């Protein structure tokens, strides 16, 4: 099977990406979810299917410490307590389908007051054979989030029931791998007060006199979905990141390697 990729990005009326540009890849018997750019930090979500060495499936978050060190040396803020990997089961939807992860872009990334901080350092990727993409450039309502839910299924693509989806236009994918598995992504616009992020991923936005800075937070779910992994893109304060880095004996402005 040829490798295929789908790119996902939040934009605005200027069509410039905010936060990170995410990539979903189908490769051999696996799927991977990671993000683009020099500061990607060596983290990815692996969704492994059955192979000659393994029966069943495995979902886990992995970190590459060499890549983490390189990103820190370029001035990126990266802190984690994963060790090398964190395994989880996914939320079982049917006997063949699992909701694995939710990627959330908070509305503050599109707010004009945070534009300079939110703009991505990575340009939109070029698309072509084997490289598809989806971006959102319409404005989210205040305090809404753009969510992309990822589901892995055996045998054929699995999509959420129609009453849970924004309709056919909300579907991204599917991707297939060599193990007979399918990955689908479904897009939602959700009010954050009704569908909150996990508490530990709800970082404050800047107050008076504070400096905006983008952040990607990740962690397991909540409210009965502990086995789904969350990635939350948003804006917080540079002062908070600098204080956290200093508590670890690091500087937010480390020299480039």
């Amino acid at each position: 099977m040829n490798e295929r990729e789908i790119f996902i990005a939040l934009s605005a009326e200027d069509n410039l990406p905010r936060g990170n540009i995410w990539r979903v890849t189908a490769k051999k018997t696996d799927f991977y979810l990671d993000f683009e750019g020099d500061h990607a930090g060596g983290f990815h979500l692996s969704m492994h299917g059955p192979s000659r060495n393994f029966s069943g499936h495995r979902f886990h978050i992995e970190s590459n410490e060499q890549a983490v060190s390189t990103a820190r040396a370029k001035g990126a803020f990266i802190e984690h307590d994963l060790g090398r990997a964190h395994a989880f089961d996914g939320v079982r939807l049917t006997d063949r389908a699992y909701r694995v992860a939710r990627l959330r872009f908070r509305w503050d990334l599109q707010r004009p007051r945070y534009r300079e901080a939110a703009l991505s350092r990575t340009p939109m990727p070029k698309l072509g054979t084997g490289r598809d993409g989806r971006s959102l450039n319409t404005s989210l309502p205040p305090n809404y989030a753009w969510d992309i839910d990822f589901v892995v299924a055996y045998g054929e693509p699995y999509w959420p029931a129609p009453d849970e989806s924004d309709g056919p236009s909300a579907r991204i994918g599917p991707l297939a791998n060599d193990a007979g598995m399918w990955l689908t992504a479904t897009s939602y616009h959700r009010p954050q007060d009704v569908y909150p992020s996990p508490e530990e991923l709800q970082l404050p936005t800047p107050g008076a006199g504070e400096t905006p800075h983008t952040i990607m937070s990740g962690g397991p779910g909540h409210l009965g979905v502990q086995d789904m992994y969350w990635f939350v893109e948003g804006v917080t304060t540079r002062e908070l990141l600098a204080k956290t880095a200093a508590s670890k004996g690091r500087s937010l402005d480390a020299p480039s390697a």
Side-chain angles (χ1 to χ4, degrees):
M1 182 190 76
N2 294 327
E3 181 176 316
R4 286 190 58 209
E5 297 176 311
I6 295 176
F7 294 90
I8 298 171
L10 177 69
S11 183
E13 70 286 345
D14 56 13
N15 204 35
L16 297 175
R18 267 67 167 171
N20 291 301
I21 299 172
W22 288 74
R23 172 178 57 197
V24 191
T25 307
K27 188 174 183 181
K28 297 183 179 179
T29 60
D30 307 318
F31 299 111
Y32 298 95
L33 174 64
D34 60 5
F35 50 98
E36 293 270 273
D38 291 340
H39 289 188
F43 293 92
H44 67 269
L45 169 60
S46 298
M47 295 161 274
H48 299 298
S51 67
R52 67 178 64 181
N53 298 320
F54 181 81
S55 62
H57 59 263
R58 294 177 296 172
F59 307 136
H60 51 256
I61 304 295
E62 293 186 270
S63 67
N64 180 309
E65 283 305 314
Q66 182 176 354
V68 168
S69 296
T70 299
R72 281 178 177 149
K74 292 180 178 180
F77 172 81
I78 299 178
E79 297 298 336
H80 71 92
D81 56 5
L82 288 175
R84 186 180 179 277
H86 168 73
F88 58 100
D89 295 331
V91 178
R92 188 166 184 165
L93 302 177
T94 72
D95 60 355
R96 62 178 182 85
Y98 299 82
R99 183 183 290 114
V100 179
R102 175 169 297 162
L103 169 60
R104 166 165 288 189
F105 292 93
R106 294 184 349 196
W107 80 294
D108 39 276
L109 285 164
Q110 290 184 321
R111 296 176 69 179
R113 66 191 302 178
Y114 302 140
R115 182 180 184 275
E116 292 306 312
L119 286 173
S120 175
R121 306 181 186 187
T122 306
M124 289 286 195
K126 294 182 179 180
L127 306 180
T129 303
R131 290 166 61 92
D132 300 320
R134 191 68 63 91
S135 65
L136 176 70
N137 57 14
T138 56
S139 296
L140 291 165
N143 294 314
Y144 267 63
W146 181 34
D147 288 349
I148 300 95
D149 286 4
F150 296 93
V151 173
V152 171
Y154 289 89
E156 62 181 2
Y158 179 88
W159 302 98
D163 61 350
E164 298 176 13
S165 171
D166 291 338
S169 64
R171 294 180 175 182
I172 304 170
L175 293 180
N177 67 21
D178 291 343
M181 302 176 74
W182 294 82
L183 184 143
T184 62
T186 306
S187 165
Y188 304 87
H189 294 180
R190 291 186 171 117
Q192 295 184 83
D193 57 344
V194 179
Y195 300 94
S197 306
E199 184 176 355
E200 62 274 17
L201 305 183
Q202 298 180 33
L203 300 181
T205 52
E210 294 182 315
T211 309
H213 200 289
T214 54
I215 189 167
M216 189 282 287
S217 303
H222 62 325
L223 300 178
V225 289
Q226 289 288 344
D227 290 328
M228 179 179 73
Y229 207 85
W230 286 66
F231 299 97
V232 180
E233 294 262 7
V235 175
T236 189
T237 74
R238 184 176 180 81
E239 289 76 11
L240 175 63
L241 301 187
K243 182 178 179 180
T244 304
S247 72
K248 304 289 185 179
R250 302 188 180 98
S251 170
L252 190 59
D253 295 308
S256 298

